[in-house]
């Protein structure tokens, strides 16, 4: 019987992995999407939508569907999903591979201010600028709602969820964006500080280059730690090697 691989997905890397596995006749692949985005990108292979009901629900699904391995290819900040995947893998005795694109590396000229959380990012802002380009996603804006003296430009793929900062304008857009795009936006809105998460990847790195060219400070929310005993691999090839589907 072909091994059944569950991918906890939603990222570009998850779609790439699903395509690689779906192209193999000797593997069955199912990708699970949280369903938070109305129009997710196309995914090859079997797809399921929605949560599992925590670690126990995920473990039950793995047993019922006779899964052979779990690949957590969710967003680097999806800490609760990763924790549930680790617990479910331990409960079922299945291998878990965590796929995480490498984080952004500082470059000469960066004015980077690393912080451990969105709340810490909000604390840092008043001393850095008055017009904020906020690119941390549509969730978690409540951390900035108390900053009534700052102007926010909030960019997200879908409308953000309240509460939000009182002085905020929302830009709905889906990347990738070029450096020229980001320079135009930063200048047009007279931005003097950028806030982002260290999601990594080339698709969202242009804003960092643009901020560097303009000499703007960048508040970078650092990634949450992985669960104890869990390590990550950086790309699809490393996942396949961990699963024993490609030679090292």
């Amino acid at each position: 019987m072909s091994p059944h691989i569950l991918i906890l997905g939603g990222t570009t890397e998850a779609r790439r992995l699903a395509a690689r596995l779906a192209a193999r006749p000797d593997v069955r692949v199912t990708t699970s999407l949280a369903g938070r985005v109305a129009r997710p990108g196309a995914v090859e292979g079997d797809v399921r939508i929605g949560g599992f009901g925590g670690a126990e629900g995920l473990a039950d699904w793995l047993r019922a569907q006779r899964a052979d391995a779990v690949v957590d290819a969710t967003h680097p900040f999806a800490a609760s999903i990763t924790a549930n995947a680790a617990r479910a893998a331990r409960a079922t005795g299945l291998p878990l591979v965590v796929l995480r694109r490498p984080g952004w590396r500082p470059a000469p000229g960066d004015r980077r201010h690393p912080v451990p959380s969105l709340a810490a990012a909000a604390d840092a802002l008043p001393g850095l600028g008055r017009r904020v380009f906020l690119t941390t996603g549509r969730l978690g804006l409540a951390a900035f709602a108390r900053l009534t003296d700052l102007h926010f430009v909030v960019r997200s793929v879908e409308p953000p969820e309240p509460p939000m900062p009182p002085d905020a304008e929302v830009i709905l857009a889906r990347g990738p964006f070029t450096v020229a795009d980001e320079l135009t936006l930063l200048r047009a809105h007279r931005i003097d500080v950028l806030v982002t998460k260290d999601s990594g990847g080339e698709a969202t790195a242009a804003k960092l280059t643009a901020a560097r060219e303009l000499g703007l400070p960048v508040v970078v929310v650092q990634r949450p730690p992985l669960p104890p005993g869990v390590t990550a691999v950086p790309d699809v090839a490393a996942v396949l090697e961990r699963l024993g589907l490609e030679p090292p």
Side-chain angles (χ1 to χ4, degrees), residues 94-116:
L94 296 182
L96 169 68
V97 183
V98 177
L99 171 57
R100 290 287 184 272
R101 69 187 76 137
W104 291 314
R105 293 185 177 182
D110 279 352
R111 296 177 59 194
R112 183 176 294 204
H113 299 263
V115 294

Side-chain angles (χ1 to χ4, degrees), residues 11-241:
T11 60
T12 299
E13 292 79 15
R15 291 194 293 274
R16 290 173 180 166
L17 177 62
R20 289 284 295 274
L21 293 176
R24 299 177 59 129
D26 59 335
V27 175
R28 177 188 170 197
V29 57
T30 300
T31 300
S32 179
L33 304 176
R36 293 175 178 169
V37 178
R39 294 174 295 163
V43 180
E44 297 187 37
D46 295 335
V47 178
R48 68 174 300 280
I49 305 291
F52 293 92
E56 292 183 2
L58 175 54
D60 290 342
W61 188 95
L62 294 169
R63 296 185 186 100
Q65 298 298 319
R66 299 181 182 276
D68 296 283
V70 183
V71 179
D72 173 15
T74 56
H75 192 275
F77 284 81
S80 61
I81 298 176
T82 301
N84 286 340
R87 290 171 55 195
R90 287 195 298 269
T92 56
L94 296 182
L96 169 68
V97 183
V98 177
L99 171 57
R100 290 287 184 272
R101 69 187 76 137
W104 291 314
R105 293 185 177 182
D110 279 352
R111 296 177 59 194
R112 183 176 294 204
H113 299 263
V115 294
S117 65
L118 291 174
D123 290 339
L125 280 178
L128 295 173
R130 311 298 298 178
R131 298 183 64 83
V132 184
F133 184 29
L134 189 57
T135 65
T136 56
R138 66 187 180 94
L139 305 176
L141 298 185
F144 303 92
R146 57 186 170 84
L147 299 176
T148 58
D149 294 333
L150 305 185
H151 175 76
F152 287 84
V153 175
V154 179
R155 184 170 70 192
S156 63
V157 175
E158 297 189 347
E161 298 184 1
M164 291 175 52
D167 184 4
E169 55 184 304
V170 176
I171 298 174
L172 298 181
R174 184 189 296 271
F177 304 100
T178 66
V179 174
D181 294 333
E182 303 293 46
L183 285 169
T184 297
L185 185 150
L186 293 172
R187 288 171 172 146
H189 292 275
R190 295 179 289 117
I191 298 299
D192 51 23
V193 58
L194 165 67
V195 181
T196 190
K197 292 178 176 179
D198 185 14
S199 56
E202 293 299 320
T204 54
K207 59 193 171 189
L208 301 179
T209 302
R212 186 184 311 123
E213 289 189 14
L214 296 177
L216 301 182
V218 180
V219 179
V220 181
V221 181
Q222 302 298 290
R223 298 178 177 188
L226 292 171
V230 174
T231 59
V233 298
D235 53 36
V236 169
V239 173
L240 297 176
E241 181 181 333

